[in-house]
Amino acid sequence: MGNFGNLMDGFVIALSGYHVALMVAGVLMGILVGVLPGLGAPNGVSLLLPLTFTMDPVSAIILLTSMYWGALFGGSTTSILFNIPGEPSSVATTFDGYPMAKKGEAGRALTLAFLSAATGALFGVVVITALSGWVAEFALKFSSPEYFAVYFLTFASFIGMGSASPFKTLVSMMLGFAFATVGMDTVSGSLRLTFGFTDLIKGISFLVAVIGLFGIGELIVTMEEGLRFEGIRAKVTPRDVLHTIARMPRHWVTLLRSCIVGSWMGITPGGPTAASFMSYGLAKRFSRRKEGFGSGEPAGVVAPEAADHSAGTCAILPMMALGVPGSATAAVMMGGLMIWGLNPGPMLFIERPDFVWGLIASMYLGNVVAVVLVLSTVPLFAAILRIPLAIIGPVIVIVCFIGAYTVASSTTDLWFVLAFGVAGYAFKKLDYPIAPLVLAMVLGDKAEGAFQQSMIMSKGGLGIFFSNGLVSTIMALALLLLFWPLAGMLVSRLRRHGM
Amino acid sequence: MPRSAGLTRFAMELVVAGATGLIGAVVVAGAREFGTGWGVAGPEPGYFPFYIGILIVIGSLGTIVATLVRRQREQRIFLDAEQARRVAIFCGPMLAFVIVASTLGLYVATALYLFGVMRWQGGYKTGFATVVAVGTAVGFYFIFDVWFQVPLLKGPILNWLGIY
Amino acid sequence: MLKKTTFTFVMLASALGVVAAEAAWKPERPIEFVVTSGAGGGTDNIARTIQAAIQKNKLTDANIIVTNKGGGSGAEGFVYSAMAKGDPYKFTFGTNNEYLLPYVAKLGFKSTDLVPVAAMALDEFLIWVHKDSPYKDAKSFIEAAKANPESIKFGGSQSKDTDQTLVSIISEATGAKFTYIPFKSGGEAAVQLAGAHIDANVNNPNENIGQFKAGMVRPLCVFSPKRMAKGPKVSGDMAWSDIPTCKEAGIPVETYQMPRTQWLPAGVPEDAVKWYIDLLAKVRQTEEWKQYIERTSQTEVFMSPSELAKFAKDEEAKTVAVFKREGWLAQ
């Protein structure tokens, strides 16, 4: 009840004309930076930061978070239309979103993505509202072994049932891990696999690899086939959008599961990237149309989007309550909080309830504003694809390279994109799965770091991963998921024998 | 069955598996610089990279063996002459773009690349191609450098023109 | 670029007929603040505060862009600036990592690739324990560590960096042995301590203030020659100035402080360095800066280039001895 009353106070703060105008402005700018692969939410937020120095903190955070929502929606757009994910967390959306767009269902894929994302976000805010007092305490229970268990669970839910050759899956995943280890190792402080190249000290950016593997690799395949984006050039009408909205409730099981996975991962805090991969893996596993995944299955868009956004939303709470940012964007926002004179941490809820609840209320409103704006612009985005290939093709190439350059202002990364592009092309044609590589690259160093920290804590004993109820439960769940396909095979074989 | 001209999938499988195997070997070599054992406080820094590299090598060898075993089925064409031409037409200018971008800057490269592709591959008129190419480069300049303050590489030509 | 600048300058000077000494160097293009930490880190905070102070009070007409280059414990940013030799538009923010990092790893830059401009603050280090910890003061904490070697888990930010160096110095000075666990940031170490997953950390005031205010962690002592500045109560009836210095509390380590430093690539004109010093001097007078110092509980200083160079040299001598003892020196 206390929370509800606080929330109502929050709505009073957030619903002023000025704040709604800020939300609209923030969301629109966010969509712009999200759609341009070179820019992302972190750029947008750090750009707006100086503007907020003169604002009151509540208005400032409303502007920044609205931009964040806009950027997340914009990021899904490029994943679906061009196979170029703007953020790690929208990688999983490309798996089925891009094939859908290729089949001429760009509008449907976009609408599905936006609606699922909004549902996920709203689910997340409801969770935050209901659990705000308790979430911080739960997140405090997480230490290195628990983090490792969560990453392990993500891997376990995602792998184990691809149709590709096991050797190729192994190579792909291990290459991802290898790329993730390049650069400075947090735990030992040693520079690994840099072979004396100064440019490798910062590591191989995940974004550079993804832009090459997905963006450029896909373009080479398209060009080789002599295609001209024919499928994607289909027109999108407002009717398609409405039609998709009407059929949305069909996906309620996937939606609900993904929202729960997302919220849980946001709070724990495993993060939106892990959440979207895990949710995609689970959707595939429990689907009756497993074969359809990877070639344009709508549930394959719904699952990662809903999980990504509910996790992203829920992650705001531990950030404020504990002062640990879950993503680059959250880190920039936290910097902002300090400049506005607020200290993120448990006391924030007590010292500045107007700020906290104004923000939470603005998350409800901001997401509604965002989804309305973004849905009404779907036909506009899809129209990009009607530009002739001789123009849009090179523009996409340029945007890919600019995007990679902006990661670290390094021209070496341009060559990396080229190399990853060729690799992506070869992998795709030879049926190497690329998703395990990406997943390993994103979570590899985090998982390794958590593992090494756990080992220092336990002085080398593996028992630490089963040392308390929480970590044991997560590990058991992960092992169950890992061996699920094996168990399934065993059961069906036994049954056949019984017959 | 007569073999048509082109690169077979068989050859390509071997090339790619060879390349990944090589990367695996490099990773193993790099990991050997550090301890690869299991120390008092858990794995040493080279432990994971070492076994990751070994697994890459094993996976690559596995693919090579599987390919050799199925040699007959792998004679399909990976890339025929026409496809190779298309790939080259796409990748050639892209390579040029990267070279120009790292020497003359991203904006100059953007304009040149877009102009080149539109003019010679798209068959647009010189005037139109110039307008679109320069317009795109200028547009990117405003979006990245001016509005979002993400500086892109300008290169000597723009510096000479007084744009930093 | 240089030619054009000189040319414009000559034109201007001859037109006016005078050369004003203080106008010897002036920015003519956007200044880049190179931050050698990720977004949200301590180095990022000071750079963005200074950016805000400059822009809000219009201290210069030049535009300021902040770029984060925190890869390899900040080496990415230093290499970036070092390669822009003689470029006065790469104003680089760091800590003591500028001169200490090259000792622990081969990183592609030498400390002499950058020239010192200023150090504007000294960040303090404290020993923190969990609120339910049995150790009420530094003495009992050290005794417990001695009685049971390596049983106390000390968390910190990064490996072979300031935090681990301090833990090593404490060990050396007291003879107590600890287990050090490196996390990605001081913020993570703070949360791990609040959750009682580690026994202690050596965070800066700003990294632990949220948990301190909420009464989840307790400071034992501060590694400063004198107590911290007086101020309002922060947590319960405790103010920063109520925390004893570690020397008072019985740990024979007098000072361990981290300077927040600013650098320029080597080879920049003398006048450019002077221009930046003047700019920073103006920043120190702003409300934003004063609030920053107060909020982060740092000790304000304003070292000149030569003072910073001397500070760096002294610290290098002391720290390299630690590196040598621990075997961290890069061959």
Side-chain angles (χ1 to χ4, degrees), chain A residues 29 32-33 36 38-39 43-44 47 67 165 167-168 170-171 174-175 177-179 181 185 188 190-193 195 216 219-220 223-226 388 390-391 393-395 397-399 401-402 405-406 409 411 414-415 418 422 425-427 429-432 448 451-452 455-456 459-460 462, chain B residues 9 12-13 16-17 20 23 26-27 29-31 33-34 38 40-46 48-49 52 55-56 58-60 62-63 66 78-79 83 86-87 90-91 94-95 97-99 101-102 106 110 113-114 117-118 121-122 124 128 132 136 140 143-144 147-153:
Chain A
M29 273 186 287
L32 179 66
V33 295
L36 290 166
L39 300 166
N43 295 110
L47 166 82
M67 169 147 213
S165 135
F167 290 122
K168 289 180 175 173
L170 178 74
V171 167
M174 289 304 142
L175 280 176
F177 279 123
F179 294 141
T181 56
D185 171 32
S188 67
S190 33
L191 279 177
R192 298 187 297 183
L193 304 181
F195 302 102
I216 300 292
L219 274 172
I220 302 180
M223 294 299 167
E224 182 219 81
E225 289 165 359
I391 300 177
V395 169
V397 170
I398 292 166
V399 163
F401 281 102
I402 290 183
Y405 178 81
T406 54
S409 312
T411 49
L414 301 181
W415 294 101
L418 211 55
V422 172
Y425 164 72
F427 275 19
K429 285 207 78 181
L430 296 176
D431 304 319
Y432 279 80
E448 190 194 351
F451 184 80
Q452 287 171 316
M455 286 300 104
I456 299 176
K459 303 207 187 317
L462 287 169
Chain B
R9 201 184 151 94
M12 199 57 198
E13 286 276 13
V16 171
T20 55
I23 295 178
V26 171
V27 171
E33 279 181 42
F34 307 95
W38 190 279
V40 215
E44 291 175 311
F48 283 108
I52 287 168
L55 284 175
I56 296 176
I58 291 176
S60 306
T63 307
F78 178 83
L79 197 66
Q83 287 171 329
R86 289 194 202 123
V87 171
F90 176 69
C91 289
M94 195 159 69
L95 182 66
F97 170 79
V98 172
I99 294 172
S102 24
L106 278 159
T110 295
Y113 174 66
L114 192 51
V117 173
M118 281 181 70
Q121 289 176 15
Y124 288 95
F128 181 67
V132 173
T136 308
F140 278 152
I143 292 175
F144 285 93
W147 295 333
F148 287 103
Q149 308 204 335
V150 176
L152 301 185
L153 190 68

Side-chain angles (χ1 to χ4, degrees), chain C residues 32-48 65-71 74 76-78 80-81 91-94:
Chain C
E32 188 177 354
F33 278 13
V34 181
V35 174
T36 57
S37 83
T43 308
D44 186 54
N45 269 337
I46 186 174
R48 287 186 195 274
I65 302 166
V66 180
T67 43
N68 290 95
K69 291 184 171 295
E76 183 192 353
F78 290 121
Y80 177 75
S81 293
F91 194 54
T92 310
F93 286 75

Side-chain angles (χ1 to χ4, degrees), chain A residues 53 140 143 187 201 338 408 453, chain C residues 52 69 107 159 182 192 197 295:
Chain A
F53 293 155
L140 270 186
S143 184
V187 174
I201 290 174
M338 292 184 196
Q453 285 157 1
Chain C
K69 291 184 171 295
L107 292 167
S159 187
Q192 290 298 310
H197 302 293
R295 194 177 62 239

